[in-house]
């Protein structure tokens, strides 16, 4: 099939590669002509264009245009692009949009007869090789029509052992892509996917932090009224090799996972993680996951505290902490140390 | 009554004052003769002594000795003091000992016929004036014998409106002191009291931090793939006066409390809390509370996350945060910002 | 002053009483004529009306109308009421509206020249006697005009000891009412107030639950591979009297508060809390508080887990728990017990 | 090598199988002669014995005895077994003992010259086929001597793609077994492993619970002062197929993992999880993980709230919830619904 790709960053370029390799024709839009040239030479895209007019002309109607953009820029792009589109053209938002925006956009585009598909895309920089997990929302007929695109991007069934019983059911879920429901359903599922991701990452990080501090009994502690002494320093005398521990967990353990594979890589390269300061970003989905949970009345203490740790890592608890120190001073005369 | 006080720091000296004012005779032990002199002049103690021998000789058997010491030094003090004590002497540990230590010490002292009483003492530097809330563990007869001591330290019933129905029951609870149960019961209740205190302090701190950041919509935010834009900056345009808000909550609101009174004081003095860095200490009871809860299988998400915020404020999440940043780099090529 | 009160439930009727006692004239709207009659006889309102037409006619322009309604019915009421209102009339929403709704409503009413004031009201059924804590948002001039109303409802400065330094500042905060900022500011502050309230309530509840289970060492435990035995049953042998403990904490302790006063009352009446099932409602503000915190990027682990506990108490964790049991069965063959 | 296996339950029998298949000679101890017979016929063990005397006689000194028992029974077994053991015999505790017990036991056995090895074993009922992940603590020489045993139980390097750079390092970590450190180190690492496992399981469970409730907008909600209405029911209209969603995440996504594989199996078999009530057990390691974290001062909000959810699922929050309902009644007259 033929597809226009708007957004040729890390994700978009890799996806174009994978589509081209599968025999699809990708017209790539970028404002940087040199970048387009490089991607053409690499065989990632068939042709590069630098304006929406060119893009629209290059595609045979009904056109399929994939957006792979920061969530914050999608509306502006759609606003500019819309006048060039015709009825039956298809827009796929493959980025990390809020599903509520998908519902609104689908309604707006519907007026002009344009189809809108939301597609949550997981896989990061490994997707080029590993394939992308695609969570898709929108009209069934459109998604069926786009099946060859999704199939090319997804990892395929061989990427993991088959779930017993799946052979009786069929469907695309075990290929690595799924029509999750109506407009917004794809990004809703991707949103929750990322919320879970935050929780899992924090679970590993907390556990490894316990192992990291397991030699605390070797340190001297001051005796004063402000601090409780470590009751049993003899139980905290371990100097663990975290790279080895992450590695050993990768095989046979209950907690083996792809994220653990990456932890093993990261710790082998840099056991002290000295290249990082520990200011952890969050890109929206974790927040939206919690808001949905709260609206639904669903308890999410793990996903919440995982996100809050990221907020704190960026200094967002500072005022609260100062207040507690101030209070301790007021009632007990305690000074910070 | 006559009582020896070991430990004349902030807490011990204030308590001696209150006891003396109530007509008791306090012999104060301190290694600094000048300090003793000052306290005698202030009328806090009847006499100062600088050795345990002197202290023991100064008291008429059966002696009552109150320890007001950092938890970490109680065992060493008891070890040195014990040879001087006789059967029927009474030791009261009024500090923040772990209740498990109380159980052990009571058993050890019992062998020599010495009585051990654990007394959790709340009130901080305000206790001199406000009275101390006393949570007491040990043998009933001993605690009854010491009643005049406890009554003198406690605030008395007039310190708060009477709970309807209390007049039919009697007991000392509404005087502000209570025999909670056998050895360790006093410090167990005090331990949980402090665990609750951590939770309440964190609840106020988190809420005020939300108000503190309620003007975030006025700040400019960068558009990139790493950060979700604030969806509705127009809803976060408030510059709240936190000192006024803490003050207004003190009267008529559901969350009025003594800690809130102190928050109002702290914020009035220093609205930006510029004198504090936000490194919050914890002195043991919060930790022990969680351990008891975990042993009992009692869920304590609020008390736990309150304590963990203190750990984090002292940099104890750093390694975990670095690991998450490293992971984000591995799967998505994300750099810290 | 003269004021129309729409909503004469528990809160509205008590507030009418307090206003009338202070010399204001309250016209009460209710669809139940008998109820109005009772309130007139009790002296709570000067007159009862059963239609908006009557209400509008009974009030001298510019009119002041106070809404004391469930948040979910405010918009419908405003919709019906608006045609009867004139420029310069004032609407006060004293219920628990979302502050975002206030911003919208103020804009809508502005078009007709009607003033809108949001007033977060704390105090519950005790407010009649204790006074109400009022957190107010809207235009300064209007709030100044309404000052006698707010002053009559608020507790007044004598309700609590004065914060040192407040005497130099003045302002209404220490009277128990406060102009917090522009439209929505009152309900924003009230929202956070309730978020804090959830956290404080949970802190006490968790702590008392630890005390409640402190006799777990007296129970026999089965030895099997599924359950860890209690390592030290001898440390969990306490049968605590929770009513007495709540009482003793009311005087002199760091955690004394008005909520603790109520805990002491509740536990004295019913130590086993046998009249309650433990299905805890939440009425919106706790949820909105978290959403605001998440938008702002402010960590709120304590307030969040407090709310989630309420969700769980109503069975909202059930599916998640079943999934974990199913997983344990899959990897370990573990059966539920 | 030759090895005595005490404990032939689900785990022990499977491990015996795997050892025998690798050419080792396993003498199995069980009090049930028929069970031994079955295991001999299946080729899991070379011979079954029903007394410790028989076991000791059947093994050539220096003997190796592997314990695969509930943690609560290890001390009693060791107590009975010890008189039969000789210097240089080796005891391996492969169950889920607390690492603090390991340190004590190693000291006690050392006196008789007996070697003690702690071995955390992960893999559950799948280990027979998948191999076991082994985390080992104790003396280096002993662990080297036992290498063929550990190698036979572990999955081997081919069980997962190699971590880039590992080939330069060697070591057994990538075989799936690891000498983690001195006595207790193996169970310490296994303890934290299980703590992480609780966190990961809860992350998936919370996320899937959000998806499970994503159709809440289709339900009718009552309007009252106690409950906030769902602000945007139109955003919660999704009926998600959770079995398909778990399946699609298995390939290409960031959160693919072995636990997710099992979730896909469980949901395919029983989408409503109707066979489970949601009372989730915990078997000790999660608790010990938190206690170690608290002693070390390491924040673990995710691991903690994951464990607390299990406690709550078994009714351990009930009293706390009743207290909150009682409080709501006291201040607001709110009734439970």
């Amino acid at each position: 099939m033929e597809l226009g790709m708007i957004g040729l960053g890390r994700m978009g370029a890799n996806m174009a590669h994978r589509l081209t390799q599968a025999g699809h024709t990708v017209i790539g839009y970028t404002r940087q002509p040199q970048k387009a040239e490089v991607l053409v030479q690499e065989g990632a895209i068939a042709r590069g264009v630098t304006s929406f007019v060119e893009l629209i002309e290059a595609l045979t109607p009904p056109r399929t245009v994939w957006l792979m953009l920061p969530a914050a820029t999608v509306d502006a792009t759609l606003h500019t692009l819309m006048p060039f589109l015709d009825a039956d053209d298809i827009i796929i938002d493959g980025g990390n949009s809020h599903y509520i925006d998908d519902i609104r956009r689908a309604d707006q585009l519907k007026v002009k007869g344009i189809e809108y598909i939301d597609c949550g895309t997981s896989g990061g920089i490994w997707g080029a090789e590993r394939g992308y997990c695609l969570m898709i929302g929108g009209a069934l007929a459109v998604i069926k029509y786009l099946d060859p695109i999704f199939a090319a991007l997804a990892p395929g069934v061989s990427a993991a052992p088959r779930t017993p019983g799946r052979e009786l059911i069929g469907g695309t879920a075990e290929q690595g892509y799924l029509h999750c429901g109506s407009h917004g359903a794809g990004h809703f599922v991707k949103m929750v996917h990322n919320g879970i991701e935050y929780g899992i990452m924090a679970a590993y990080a907390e556990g490894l932090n316990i192992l990291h501090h397991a030699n605390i009994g070797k340190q001297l502690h001051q005796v004063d009224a402000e601090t409780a002494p470590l009751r049993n320093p003899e139980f905290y005398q371990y100097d663990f090799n975290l790279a080895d521990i992450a590695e050993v967990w990768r095989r046979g353990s209950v907690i083996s996972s792809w994220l653990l594979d990456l932890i093993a890589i990261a710790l082998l390269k840099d056991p002290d993680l000295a290249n990082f300061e520990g200011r952890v970003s969050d890109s929206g989905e974790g927040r939206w996951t919690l808001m949905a949970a709260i609206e639904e009345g669903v308890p999410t203490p793990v996903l919440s505290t995982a996100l809050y740790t990221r907020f704190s890592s960026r200094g967002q608890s500072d005022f609260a902490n100062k207040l507690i120190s101030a209070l301790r001073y007021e009632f007990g005369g305690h000074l910070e140390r």
Side-chain angles (χ1 to χ4, degrees), chain A residues 251-262:
Chain A
R251 292 175 183 84
S253 97
V254 171
I255 62 171
S256 63
S257 71
W258 188 64
L259 281 165
L260 182 62
D261 295 349
L262 300 185

Side-chain angles (χ1 to χ4, degrees), chain A residues 87-108:
Chain A
D88 296 332
D89 284 354
I90 302 167
I91 293 285
I92 304 159
D93 179 1
N96 276 326
S97 286
H98 196 313
Y99 79 96
I100 290 176
D101 293 329
D102 293 322
I103 296 173
R104 173 179 48 77
R105 289 174 195 149
D107 282 350
Q108 291 169 343

Side-chain angles (χ1 to χ4, degrees), chain A residues 21-285:
Chain A
Q21 275 162 10
H24 299 293
T25 304
V26 180
I27 314 296
Y29 165 87
T30 167
R31 269 171 293 190
Q32 304 157 267
Q34 300 108 310
K35 192 179 187 178
E37 222 165 291
V38 171
L39 289 171
V40 170
Q41 277 167 6
E42 292 176 358
I45 57 175
R47 182 183 153 194
V49 296
T50 55
S51 74
F52 285 170
V53 180
E54 266 184 284
L55 178 69
I56 293 303
E57 282 173 0
L59 296 167
T60 321
R63 304 173 190 89
T64 299
V65 178
W66 188 294
L67 308 183
M68 209 63 208
L69 298 165
T73 66
V74 171
D75 275 322
T77 302
L78 278 180
H79 185 79
T80 315
L81 187 63
M82 214 162 132
F84 302 104
L85 295 176
D86 296 308
D88 296 332
D89 284 354
I90 302 167
I91 293 285
I92 304 159
D93 179 1
N96 276 326
S97 286
H98 196 313
Y99 79 96
I100 290 176
D101 293 329
D102 293 322
I103 296 173
R104 173 179 48 77
R105 289 174 195 149
D107 282 350
Q108 291 169 343
L109 291 167
K110 199 76 196 167
V111 176
K112 275 197 67 173
I114 303 163
E115 294 291 344
Y116 180 86
I117 298 295
D118 54 285
C119 178
T121 309
S122 183
I125 52 181
W126 296 70
E129 171 194 321
R130 231 182 140 222
Y132 298 92
C133 174
L134 305 177
M135 295 145 267
I136 311 163
L140 178 60
V142 181
I143 290 165
K144 281 217 161 146
Y145 167 76
L146 295 170
D147 188 84
I149 299 289
F150 298 132
L153 289 169
V157 69
S158 64
R162 215 160 183 188
T163 298
R166 263 288 147 190
E167 65 282 2
L168 306 170
I169 295 184
T172 64
E174 61 178 354
Q175 304 292 334
Y177 64 103
L178 180 69
H179 179 205
C180 297
S182 57
H183 295 301
H187 278 138
F188 193 105
V189 173
K190 174 56 161 52
M191 168 185 85
V192 172
H193 165 282
N194 282 32
I196 293 171
E197 177 192 310
Y198 284 29
I200 295 176
M201 287 168 74
Y204 285 118
E206 290 182 5
L208 289 164
N209 201 18
I210 298 172
L211 295 174
H212 178 69
H213 287 276
N215 62 1
I216 195 175
K218 294 182 171 176
Q219 297 164 30
L220 272 181
H221 287 275
Q222 224 184 320
V223 169
D224 58 53
E226 304 289 300
T227 322
L230 186 61
R231 290 179 73 79
N232 299 102
E234 68 275 23
F235 297 149
Y236 299 93
Q237 301 281 338
Y238 299 115
D239 292 301
F240 288 120
N241 180 325
L242 298 194
D244 276 358
I245 289 171
E247 185 66 38
V248 80
W249 286 343
R250 294 183 62 222
R251 292 175 183 84
S253 97
V254 171
I255 62 171
S256 63
S257 71
W258 188 64
L259 281 165
L260 182 62
D261 295 349
L262 300 185
I263 291 173
I265 292 173
L267 287 170
L268 189 61
K269 283 198 279 194
D270 176 8
D272 300 322
L273 304 171
N275 291 321
F276 300 93
E277 263 187 81
R279 291 178 64 85
V280 190
S281 293
D282 77 281
S283 51
E285 299 87 356

